[in-house]
Amino acid sequence: AEDVFWLPATNWSFILGTNSVDGLYISSSGTLSFGRPKGSPTARPMPDPYGLSFLAPLQTPIGIVPPRGRFWHALTPSNTLLCTWQDVYANRDTNVPVSFQSELSANGDFAFRYDLSTLNPQPSTLPATNFVIGAQHDGGGETWAFGDTNAVVHGLELRWRAFGPLDPGEDDHDDDGLSTYDEVMLHGTDPRLADSDGDGLSDADEIAGGSAP
């Protein structure tokens, strides 16, 4: 039903705001929380009233029935952390088996992914409505979907930037010649690093030269 366990930051790292976390709490109800556990599956827009820092790839009542249904975590060769709810029952409905995943990067970026291929008959969207997808930290948050069944489709991948202080009065936070807006909305580069891929060429020079930054 509701299970939470602690995963220490051993051989992986994640920046929350400006600090590295010492681990995270993983809940069967589809959340990753920091500082204290979040076991409640109650879906609320973010930021919610409780002020807890957490990521919600799919916060909802979830049933996990082994051996098919399971949770697993693993490190990737690039030292990101994968947290995967595989073939679990959204809203504890045995007619809604889904898989979803969070990937946490050392710089604080994270991604959510969704696999609805086990739904039968195969719909194009998630049929359950009691869920929220989003993230919150330090009193702020972003709700990507709140019970919106049209928002979650098979193969969806959501990429999130790290929580962190970026002065809204600045146009180019890393002084690389590209505006922060263009880096986030057009190029997919890191607005905090002048050289997103660390190859010695600035993002602006790579884009001007037609290479991948």
Side-chain angles (χ1 to χ4, degrees), residues 9-194:
T10 303
N11 299 325
W12 62 273
S13 60
F14 184 72
I15 298 292
L16 188 65
T18 57
N19 300 309
S20 295
V21 303
D22 57 355
L24 55 82
Y25 291 97
I26 300 174
S27 170
S28 61
S29 58
T31 61
L32 307 173
S33 59
F34 307 91
R36 66 181 190 273
K38 181 172 184 59
S40 171
T42 303
R44 292 185 177 89
M46 300 181 196
D48 69 16
Y50 303 108
L52 180 65
S53 295
F54 74 100
L55 315 181
L58 188 66
Q59 184 186 4
T60 188
I62 286 175
I64 300 179
V65 182
R68 180 182 176 185
R70 62 193 180 120
F71 173 83
W72 57 267
H73 61 87
L75 297 178
T76 70
S78 57
N79 291 321
T80 62
L81 175 67
L82 297 177
C83 297
T84 305
W85 292 256
Q86 183 173 337
D87 293 327
V88 300
Y89 296 135
N91 208 28
R92 297 189 188 140
D93 184 341
T94 56
N95 295 312
V96 190
V98 300
S99 299
F100 58 94
Q101 180 182 76
S102 292
E103 183 173 10
L104 279 60
S105 300
N107 68 353
D109 292 349
F110 52 99
F112 298 157
R113 302 185 183 94
Y114 302 86
D115 178 355
L116 309 185
S117 62
T118 54
L119 292 179
N120 189 24
Q122 179 62 52
S124 61
T125 62
L126 183 67
T129 59
N130 179 20
F131 70 88
V132 66
I133 295 171
Q136 68 178 38
H137 171 60
D138 199 22
E142 180 74 18
T143 301
W144 189 81
F146 182 52
D148 182 359
T149 58
N150 294 318
V152 187
V153 298
H154 176 58
L156 175 68
E157 180 176 47
L158 302 174
R159 293 185 174 271
W160 299 71
R161 292 291 182 187
F163 293 103
L166 289 178
D167 184 350
E170 292 286 336
D171 292 327
D172 180 7
H173 289 90
D174 55 10
D175 294 321
D176 63 355
L178 298 173
S179 72
T180 295
Y181 178 90
D182 285 351
E183 292 210 55
V184 172
M185 303 301 293
L186 298 179
H187 306 303
T189 50
D190 191 335
R192 300 156 301 182
L193 296 174

